[in-house]
Amino acid sequence: MRKFKVVGKSVPKVDALALAQGKPLFTDDIELRGMLHAKILWSPHAHARIKNIDTSKAEALPGVHAVLCYKNVPRVIHTTAGQGWPEPSPYDIVMFDNKVRYVGDRVAAVAAETEEIAERALELIKVEYEPLPAVFDPERAMDKGAPVIHDEPDCKYIIPVFYDPKHNHCAHIDLEVGDFEQGIKEADFVVECKFKTHHEQHCSLEPHTCICYFDPAGRLIIRTSNQVPFHVRRIVAQCLQVPERMIRVIKPRIGGGFGGKQEVLIEEVCAMLAMLTKRPVRLAYTREEEFVSARVRHPMVMWAKTGVKKDGTITAIQLKVLSNAGAYGAHAMTVMNNTCAKALPLFRCKNIKWVADAVYTNLLPGGAYRGYGVTQAAFPMGVMMDEMAEAIGMDPVDFWKLNTIKEGETSPIFKALSETGRGVEMIVESCSLPECIDKGAEVFGWREKRERYKKQSKGPIKHGIGMCCLVQGGTVPLIDMASAYAKMNDDGSFNLLIGATDLGTGADTVLSQIFAETLDIPVEDVIVYPSDTDLTPFDKGAYASGTTYLSGMAVLRTAEKIREQILGVAADILGEPKEGLRIENKGVVSGKSGKRVEFSQIIKRALYGKDQFQIGATASEFSRLPPQSFAAHFAEVAVDTETGQVKVLSYVAAVDCGTAVNPKLAEGQAEGAILNGISYALTEEFIFDDRGRVLNPSFTDYKIFSAPDIPKITTILVPSYEPTGPYGAKTVGEVNINGPLPAISNAIYNAVGIRLYETPFTPERVLNALKEKRKSKIKQR
Amino acid sequence: MIPKFDYFRPKTTEELVDLLAKYGEDAKMFAGGTDLFVLMRDRLIRPKYVIDLKGIEELHEFSYDEKRGLRIGATVTLNELLESDVVKERFGVLWSAAGALADPTIRNRGTLVGNICNASPAADTAPALLVLDAEVEVAGKGGERTIPIRDFFIGVKRTSLKPEEFVKAVRIPNPPAGAKGGYYKWGRTRGEDLAVVGVAALVVNSGKRIVRVALSSVFKTPLRVPEVEKVFEEEGPLDEQIERAVSAVQEKIAPITDVRSSKEYRIHMAGVLTRRALKELFGGS
């Protein structure tokens, strides 16, 4: 492996100083002259037809400039999912419909001089609802006689996949590699369990925020907190029925996305209001609106069945998945597919069967959420692994190591399925998972703690440990594309224009590092400008852990093209052939003569001297395969048997993300994901009433971990070298969120002997499970 | 966004009395504002007038007298209480409760008097004041009066204050010699959370045992349980007494099921916390 100068160094984030100084970097930090404020009226019903809307009183209110509803907005069926075209999500939503499908569904929108006037106007809108029966339980959604949520005739997929909205059946795929039943026959032990995972909100620090205005040429500018600016342009143009050339999308700094902003959730309404009023319009969600009318992680019901031989060979794996898509199908199929495509390649098993359905219900629509289906599947699979290891009396560390994919190996799943359907045959060319398991176990003290906790203290607090291994493929293969453009300036610095979307992750920094490394310049000489559909070339956006890997390759290729141009000019200056020259520390050096010419001389010659031209290039890269990032997670918990409380005492994650371009940022991604996962496992929970209303739409009662709750998290980066990635890099955004559910569940079992198959592991749930265990013990006697 | 209101910042209690006499029914007072503005933002209340108490020097008085005990003015913040050695050493149960309320940034603005005037059943400082036999100094157009804390809370978010009255200060007599105390709060997270159940206990273990217990979040008001005190009036084995105290608490409380917890879990946890509190304060494990 070559030595790097900039890659592999924890250089400070390029935007850190401005952020720390509180500069006006975020969407909502600007105030435009004449800007109107938009507010949205939400459905109070889980399922209802709108018989009539009377907006006349609202329109008459002084200060109100526009009121939108199904009556005055064209019906354009589309998907809000910010995915590549043609989107693998059903077209099942319109800007305003005459039907509402969940509490929090959009009914009308107002633009007014102030937020206060807009709110008052909402109160003046009279809506006549005809309530319809609703269905909330995904296991009841396809029952005979269940209310049909999408009875509109125009809902459809625009790609050829299964879709049966008349039975609330949003997606279905199944596959089998090998022979599952035969595998079960060969097994010495068979384990079978039902699992349930719950809703989760992204809780980005910055809620969805958008400001739309017109430039002097009459083009619509959309300034928005979004992960997918190029998809925003396409989808807003579609909804407004205007050419894409009329729209420019600008993404400023973003206060977190986590998938929640891989969605065109508010931009099209804001844009429509701006079009109608010819005034700048601002639309920003409140925290409550984030909870009642944004997107969530798809809750799933899963049935797992596996077979294992006494020697530790897994003979069969079956995973059946029922995903609760909620009211609209954005990301429903792709998230569901990932429970197989991106989760199951981890396991060495010849016989795998997977059956998956996604159903509509009258609850919050699911969407993209960090982990994207792998989080859900990693839970049953991680617990099943623990159960199988126990069944054959093998230490989980050894069992995981034996049964996880290695470098140079393949999985039949790769070929069988990808996130969008078609799979890609591939070999795992980089994998340090075995070292991750060893190092993680050692740092964590696995063997020693395993011994120690065989004997529990007399008091109410019991200790336990659990582990799991994880994989997450990055990018959507054969679909995703990223690109970059760069030009050289008078002083030898460079503008790097990237379509890639930094959400606070540090992508701008990492991509600058890759560019700087390739041209052997310091990061300060890279002026990075991201995500502006007018100025930067296309990028699919920030999702599927794809930025470092894919946008990184595009940046690398761009820099390589520029290097060739620089060497060409240098050759002319030095009067030597290009082949003998190399780039070194902001200059070009001849290997033969030892002569050196500085970048500043080269660019001056190119711009002002001879045969003038702009040194600059653009390059793009599409994903040929999904690079596989791995991790081994270890959790130590204390379970209070009197209160039911589970406390995570320590957590170790050993992570293989290939080369960590910026180790501190990679650790930050890992630790953020782990904390997010622990909080999801223990305290985060939506509470709905029997009419489908969210009862806890605020941080007061939707509990996310904050600083005092954070356990000791240790991240160990265990490098590997991915030949298809920039300088060996893979991906790190998502894989680590998948660990806490299985690792903590396994640790609870180790501590108190109860298996939790349903999330989250709240004190009441743990206490009830402990009571059940005591009862069943009494019965056995 | 907070609905519009008219703002007053009186400089003297006399001005305040006049403002309340004039606007009492439509006015809300605040010091830290950590409850009031959240309620206003969520449109749960829409007062026409908001009166800021922080301009009244007199209400910021915070004093201790060997004989009369502690006096905490209406605008004394929770962090000011927490910084006081007297509170920490002699009124441990209050110190512990103040430290359990929300988080340090909220406590920088929030006040003890605000906490009790908001009168949430989950008010963290209320059980401590109940076991300390605090008294509330009240003033208004009709003059001044003192309300014992046990009569102060009359319902969910309701106090015995009249619309034209305000709380000047809370007075706390010295606890019995040798008293130890603590507030045992059960939340869903360690970071800022409302109590699922909170138990304040005050214990004297020299010679005759004295035990006082009060709870938050298990009744329509913060609740002291005198039956616990009776249990310890007679002599007996400590473990047995503690179990009887636990039963007394669980019989007396009437919690509800809400988004934070089920009723059953609250009853269970009231028992667990009472037992843990008493065992710890009596020096057991």
Side-chain angles (χ1 to χ4, degrees), chain A residues 101-102 135-142 149 168 170-171 196-200 295-303 321-333 335-336 339 356-367 376 688:
Chain A
R101 297 175 178 85
Y102 70 103
V135 59
F136 305 119
D137 181 353
E139 293 185 73
R140 299 270 75 88
M142 291 196 290
I149 295 165
N168 295 326
C170 183
K196 271 187 191 177
T197 59
H198 64 293
H199 286 86
E200 183 184 24
R295 299 290 181 256
V296 290
R297 185 189 295 289
H298 291 87
M300 291 190 189
V301 186
M302 289 166 285
W303 296 262
V321 171
L322 178 64
S323 176
N324 185 348
Y328 297 98
H331 300 276
M333 181 186 80
V335 164
M336 176 192 93
T339 63
D357 296 288
V359 294
Y360 289 121
T361 64
N362 294 108
L363 288 177
L364 282 160
Q376 289 91 327
F688 298 97

Side-chain angles (χ1 to χ4, degrees), chain A residues 424-589:
Chain A
V424 181
E425 201 162 1
M426 67 171 276
I427 302 249
V428 173
E429 291 193 63
S430 65
C431 174
S432 65
L433 182 58
E435 295 97 296
C436 287
I437 297 173
D438 287 341
K439 278 197 181 160
E442 191 193 320
V443 171
F444 181 76
W446 174 268
R447 312 251 176 212
E448 178 259 324
K449 281 177 181 159
R450 193 94 177 157
E451 274 311 302
R452 195 200 308 165
Y453 294 150
K454 277 182 183 164
K455 265 198 189 155
Q456 294 284 355
S457 62
K458 280 247 167 67
I461 312 283
K462 312 290 179 194
H463 293 86
I465 57 173
M467 73 160 293
C468 65
C469 293
L470 308 156
V471 72
Q472 181 118 17
T475 74
V476 186
L478 304 181
I479 302 266
D480 288 346
M481 191 276 267
S483 53
Y485 165 72
K487 68 178 174 67
M488 196 172 189
N489 298 315
D490 286 34
D491 60 348
S493 68
F494 294 84
N495 292 103
L496 174 62
L497 282 70
I498 47 175
T501 304
D502 189 331
L503 309 172
T505 48
D508 286 357
T509 308
V510 164
L511 296 175
S512 298
Q513 284 179 268
I514 291 169
F515 189 82
E517 182 71 41
T518 314
L519 290 171
D520 200 355
I521 53 172
V523 172
E524 303 88 85
D525 281 356
V526 186
I527 308 152
V528 64
Y529 181 78
S531 320
D532 179 330
T533 59
D534 263 18
L535 304 183
T536 66
F538 181 90
D539 190 294
K540 52 97 174 172
Y543 57 75
S545 302
T547 303
T548 299
Y549 176 77
L550 197 62
S551 308
M553 275 314 284
V555 165
L556 179 73
R557 298 243 185 279
T558 305
E560 280 173 347
K561 281 187 180 175
I562 287 175
R563 185 171 61 198
E564 288 311 304
Q565 294 175 15
I566 290 172
L567 289 174
V569 177
D572 196 35
I573 296 173
L574 294 170
E576 291 188 36
K578 205 169 131 186
E579 290 64 39
L581 305 179
R582 66 171 192 279
I583 274 182
E584 195 180 287
N585 192 21
K586 294 177 75 172
V588 173
V589 180

Side-chain angles (χ1 to χ4, degrees), chain B:
Chain B
M1 213 181 52
I2 288 171
K4 281 190 179 151
F5 55 85
D6 284 335
Y7 171 83
F8 294 102
R9 191 180 163 97
K11 289 211 162 58
T12 62
T13 51
E14 290 75 21
E15 272 180 63
L16 176 60
V17 167
D18 289 344
L19 281 169
L20 287 173
K22 205 167 160 192
Y23 301 123
E25 296 280 358
D26 298 319
K28 280 281 176 189
M29 288 170 277
F30 81 98
T34 55
D35 281 314
L36 182 69
F37 292 117
V38 175
L39 294 173
M40 287 173 66
R41 187 200 59 199
D42 292 346
R43 310 291 195 277
L44 295 171
I45 53 168
R46 289 174 187 253
K48 277 191 200 156
Y49 309 101
V50 165
I51 304 172
D52 185 346
L53 303 183
K54 290 193 293 293
I56 305 172
E57 195 64 36
E58 189 191 332
L59 296 184
H60 198 233
E61 196 191 304
F62 179 24
S63 62
Y64 177 70
D65 182 287
E66 282 291 347
K67 275 191 188 139
R68 286 195 298 263
L70 207 54
R71 187 172 181 279
I72 301 161
T75 63
V76 174
T77 68
L78 292 155
N79 273 350
E80 284 170 326
L81 276 187
L82 287 167
E83 281 158 19
S84 152
D85 289 338
V86 174
V87 174
K88 186 176 176 180
E89 280 153 26
R90 308 193 63 157
F91 300 84
V93 62
L94 179 63
W95 190 80
S96 143
L101 190 148
D103 70 14
T105 56
I106 298 286
R107 296 196 290 264
N108 232 9
R109 295 194 68 84
T111 59
L112 175 84
V113 168
N115 191 225
I116 62 165
C117 287
N118 186 51
S120 160
D124 284 312
T125 61
L129 296 178
L130 281 164
V131 297
L132 287 168
D133 285 329
E135 289 176 324
V136 185
E137 273 182 38
V138 170
K141 195 86 194 162
E144 303 205 352
R145 63 178 179 133
T146 298
I147 308 173
I149 190 81
R150 63 173 181 276
D151 299 330
F152 187 74
F153 306 106
I154 57 173
V156 176
K157 299 240 161 192
R158 284 173 59 223
T159 67
S160 47
L161 281 181
K162 292 177 195 137
E164 71 280 7
E165 284 183 325
F166 68 96
V167 174
K168 283 178 86 171
V170 168
R171 278 199 312 259
I172 308 172
N174 285 316
K180 285 201 291 181
Y183 179 61
Y184 296 74
K185 176 173 172 172
W186 191 254
R188 292 157 297 181
T189 54
R190 292 185 65 211
E192 189 190 333
D193 195 11
L194 299 166
V196 166
V197 181
V199 176
L202 185 131
V203 162
V204 180
N205 194 22
S206 49
K208 197 170 177 295
R209 286 176 188 147
I210 300 173
V211 174
R212 296 178 199 160
V213 168
L215 298 94
S216 57
S217 297
V218 291
F219 198 70
K220 61 184 178 176
T221 62
L223 179 74
R224 181 158 155 181
V225 186
E227 289 78 359
V228 168
E229 288 147 51
K230 290 203 187 79
V231 166
F232 289 89
E233 274 168 11
E234 292 154 31
E235 305 232 331
L238 182 63
D239 282 349
E240 227 169 76
Q241 282 181 323
I242 289 176
E243 286 314 311
R244 281 170 57 204
V246 166
S247 303
V249 164
Q250 288 179 322
E251 272 165 40
K252 181 87 177 192
I253 62 178
I256 56 162
T257 292
D258 63 11
V259 292
R260 301 205 289 280
S261 171
S262 72
K263 172 185 161 183
E264 292 73 23
Y265 188 68
R266 283 202 164 97
I267 295 173
H268 173 79
M269 282 309 300
V272 171
L273 294 181
T274 302
R275 186 181 298 113
R276 284 186 181 179
L278 296 184
K279 282 193 173 169
E280 195 173 297
L281 293 171
F282 274 113
S285 59

